[in-house]
Amino acid sequence: GESVGLHLPTLSVQEGDNSIINCAYSNSASDYFIWYKQESGKGPQFIIDIRSNMDKRQGQRVTVLLNKTVKHLSLQIAATQPGDSAVYFCAENGGYQKVTFGTGTKLQVIP
Amino acid sequence: DTAVSQTPKYLVTQMGNDKSIKCEQNLGHDTMYWYKQDSKKFLKIMFSYNNKELIINETVPNRFSPKSPDKAHLNLHINSLELGDSAVYFCASSQGGTASYEQYFGPGTRLTVT
């Protein structure tokens, strides 16, 4: 069954603003977390990952924060662009190669 | 070069038919997966193979049968198709091991059962 994320919400952000996408997970034994981006008509694409021994990881324009105490994961996108419009999934690895996906958040960027 | 490819991209068929979806990856990965994505965008893993060996077999009707002829290919055969099988099916691959669980996804196959 579903162990990561909530219902599919939509986040609308003005172009140039920062976006924050949140995710809750339930498996405290998960040791690895990933964010994927899925554009319309395409497969999910890896954005950034973080291991459970870290609480923050930065990439290009993206930052992932992990709070193990409350089992919460967030993805921050700086200076959001129209090309960032997509559905974003958090995912967790709770066992060997078995990655469980959350329900996703749709990000709409307003030009 | 396409990393993970699936055929066909669209598949429209009637209830009761049998159909197959093919997947190939040219990344040299050891592990391949099948996922089902429903109309609400929920992605659920169905199967996973590592070096042609089945390692994950989720609660999926036995009408679904994966087959991995070699580690670069993972096909999905579906017997006696039902309306509820309509979804987008994604193939994915990953290197395997514990260094990274990053998965590379194919473009998806949209299956419509009428």
Side-chain angles (χ1 to χ4, degrees):
Chain A
E2 182 181 335
S3 68
V4 181
L6 305 171
H7 58 277
L8 180 64
T10 297
L11 176 66
S12 295
V13 174
Q14 205 74 35
E15 182 179 355
D17 287 351
N18 296 334
S19 303
I20 300 176
I21 300 170
N22 296 303
C23 175
Y25 65 95
S26 59
N27 187 353
S28 55
S30 292
D31 61 355
Y32 182 83
F33 303 87
I34 315 112
W35 281 98
Y36 283 89
K37 172 187 180 183
Q38 186 178 21
E39 296 175 276
S40 181
K42 297 183 179 180
Q45 182 180 16
F46 173 92
I47 302 173
I48 191 167
D49 58 4
I50 189 167
R51 294 198 175 272
S52 58
N53 61 355
M54 302 170 69
D55 53 23
K56 181 179 179 179
R57 190 163 188 220
Q58 288 184 289
Q60 188 178 12
R61 282 202 308 120
V62 294
T63 301
V64 55
L65 299 178
L66 174 62
N67 186 331
K68 293 182 289 293
T69 303
V70 295
K71 289 187 281 189
H72 183 268
L73 198 64
S74 70
L75 177 71
Q76 300 177 2
I77 304 173
T80 312
Q81 302 169 0
D84 295 327
S85 293
V87 176
Y88 289 80
F89 294 93
C90 64
E92 62 176 323
N93 181 70
Y96 180 71
Q97 295 291 335
K98 182 179 175 184
V99 174
T100 302
F101 281 76
T103 51
T105 297
K106 184 176 181 179
L107 176 64
Q108 288 182 328
V109 181
I110 305 164
Chain B
D1 279 348
T2 303
V4 182
S5 59
Q6 296 178 229
T7 54
K9 187 165 176 61
Y10 300 96
L11 184 54
V12 181
T13 188
Q14 291 184 327
M15 284 174 56
N17 285 347
D18 303 339
K19 290 294 180 185
S20 292
I21 308 172
K22 296 187 175 183
C23 177
E24 177 181 4
Q25 54 96 3
N26 62 8
L27 298 166
H29 287 165
D30 292 330
T31 307
M32 296 185 72
Y33 312 79
W34 277 110
Y35 286 87
K36 178 181 181 181
Q37 186 171 49
D38 62 22
S39 59
K40 296 180 182 176
K41 296 291 188 181
F42 184 62
L43 262 170
K44 183 167 171 57
I45 191 166
M46 300 172 69
F47 302 103
S48 172
Y49 271 74
N50 181 267
N51 277 321
K52 302 193 296 175
E53 182 182 342
L54 180 65
I55 58 170
I56 294 173
N57 184 353
E58 289 296 287
T59 308
V60 176
N62 57 16
R63 298 182 295 104
F64 290 79
S65 53
K67 200 160 280 188
S68 182
D70 54 62
K71 75 172 194 176
H73 296 85
L74 181 62
N75 303 323
L76 183 65
H77 188 75
I78 316 170
N79 289 327
S80 304
L81 278 154
E82 300 178 357
L83 292 176
D85 297 333
S86 295
V88 180
Y89 291 84
F90 286 100
C91 176
S93 72
S94 67
Q95 181 57 47
T98 56
S100 171
Y101 299 109
E102 178 183 350
Q103 296 182 15
Y104 292 76
F105 284 79
T109 296
R110 181 173 292 277
L111 171 65
T112 304
V113 183
T114 62

